């Protein structure tokens, strides 16, 4: 049995085991692979990596707080990691550990699947954390023009300084949405049902609204977008696509993404808070 895993701290909330095991079962891989979660605090990361063979792990996903610190423990990283310095997928090939980032491509795939056009568009990113960095990097490489607004201005400025060589990027002092085509929420505001990361008056029907939060499936931001008849997209497809790309790296086979998505939708249906 090959063991696949997701590691992080905290890890209880992770939906990766549910999604990956459904995809493994769908491909009749359940006898060969199982996907489990491991709680790995920061001071135990190296120990975990040293024990992969003992535990039978051939590949794993990495979530907070290890996405950057894991890099020093790997043999090498794929190009998908280089600028962003964040790994979310590791595979073991012979005795080497190789790091990948499927978050960025997963996000781009979810936009393409939903027919959201982003080339040469003006995109406002709300937030200045790790998710904002990954999305800014991915979209700049695709030719989007980026504006960032973050509660802590200096963090947005750091992102600008890091990525301005990739394309057009500006930091907003005061939140403005005129001339903006797409607004993307990368902050954690919306995880609690009634919180919204932007004054609703700044949203007009011409905006496409994207929230990377997937729980709740419909955040207050998305409900506002729906009310205004905007095109809108939540974080579930991004979760599925980053997982599907990781699944291919783990097994060599493309999973059935609809099975992964339906499994998650079913979970949310049965676990309404
Ligand atoms: P991640 O790695 O998932 O992006 P993070 O690095 O903790 O998570 O980033 C969370 C983002 O949400 C940050 O940009 C944070 O703003 P600050 O940089 O000012 O901390 C933003 N955020 C969190 N709570 C917020 C709130 N109540 N209002 C506005 N922004 C908030």
């Amino acid at each position: 049995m090959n063991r696949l895993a997701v590691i992080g701290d905290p890890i209880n909330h992770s939906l990766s085991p549910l999604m990956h095991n459904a995809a493994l079962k769908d491909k009749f891989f359940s006898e060969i692979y199982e996907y489990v979660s491991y709680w790995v605090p920061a001071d135990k990361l190296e120990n975990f990596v040293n024990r992969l063979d003992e535990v039978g792990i051939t590949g794993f996903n990495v979530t907070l707080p290890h996405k950057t610190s894991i890099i020093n423990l790997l043999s090498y990283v794929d190009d998908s990691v280089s600028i962003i310095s964040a790994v979310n997928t590791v595979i073991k090939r012979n005795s080497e550990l190789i790091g990948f980032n499927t978050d960025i491509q997963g996000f781009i795939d979810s936009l393409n699947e939903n027919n959201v056009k982003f080339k040469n568009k003006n995109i406002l990113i709300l937030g200045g954390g790790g998710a904002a960095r990954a999305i800014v990097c991915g979209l700049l490489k695709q030719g989007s023009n980026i504006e960032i607004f973050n509660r802590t201005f200096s963090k947005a400025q750091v992102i600008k300084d890091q990525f301005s060589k990739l394309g057009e990027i500006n930091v907003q002092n005061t939140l403005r949405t005129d001339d903006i085509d797409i607004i993307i929420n990368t902050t954690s505001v919306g995880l609690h049902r009634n919180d919204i990361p932007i004054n609703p008056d700044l949203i007009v029907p011409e905006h496409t609204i994207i929230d990377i939060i997937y729980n709740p499936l419909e955040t207050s931001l998305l409900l506002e977008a729906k009310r205004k008849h905007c095109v809108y997209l939540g974080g579930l497809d991004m979760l599925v696509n980053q997982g599907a790309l990781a699944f291919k790296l783990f097994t060599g086979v493309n999973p059935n993404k609809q099975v992964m998505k339906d499994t998650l939708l079913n979970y949310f249906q049965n676990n309404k808070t």
Side-chain angles (χ1 to χ4, degrees), residues 117-125 135-136 138-148 166-170 172 179-184:
K117 302 273 179 274
F118 46 86
K119 284 188 183 32
N120 300 316
K121 299 288 186 193
N122 296 331
I123 303 185
L124 171 62
I125 306 290
I135 287 174
V136 165
L139 287 172
L140 282 173
K141 282 187 175 173
Q142 299 283 333
S144 307
N145 307 318
I146 300 293
E147 307 246 330
I148 310 180
L166 295 179
E168 182 70 29
I169 170 166
N170 290 302
Q172 295 189 352
D179 296 334
I180 293 294
D181 301 304
I182 304 174
I183 300 172
I184 304 178

Side-chain angles (χ1 to χ4, degrees), residues 127-132 150-152 155 186-189:
N150 189 41
R151 176 177 65 177
T152 310
K155 282 166 76 178
T186 73
T187 76
S188 45
V189 182

Side-chain angles (χ1 to χ4, degrees), residues 23 26-27 29 243-249 251-257 260:
D26 174 71
K27 290 286 169 203
F29 283 167
L245 293 166
F247 187 99
K248 175 81 193 288
L249 290 167
T251 66
V253 171
N254 281 317
N256 183 333
K257 287 196 269 188
M260 298 167 93

Side-chain angles (χ1 to χ4, degrees), residues 197-248:
I198 183 170
N199 178 346
D201 293 344
L202 293 174
I203 298 174
V204 294
E206 291 71 26
H207 289 138
T208 293
I209 306 291
I210 298 174
D211 201 331
I212 68 165
I213 293 173
Y214 54 81
N215 188 9
L217 285 172
E218 289 198 316
T219 59
S220 296
L221 176 63
L222 295 182
L223 290 171
E224 179 63 22
K226 194 183 203 176
R227 209 173 65 77
K228 295 256 173 72
H229 302 287
C230 302
V231 172
Y232 66 93
L233 176 65
L236 190 68
D237 287 6
M238 182 185 174
L239 176 67
V240 169
N241 276 296
Q242 65 76 28
L245 293 166
F247 187 99
K248 175 81 193 288

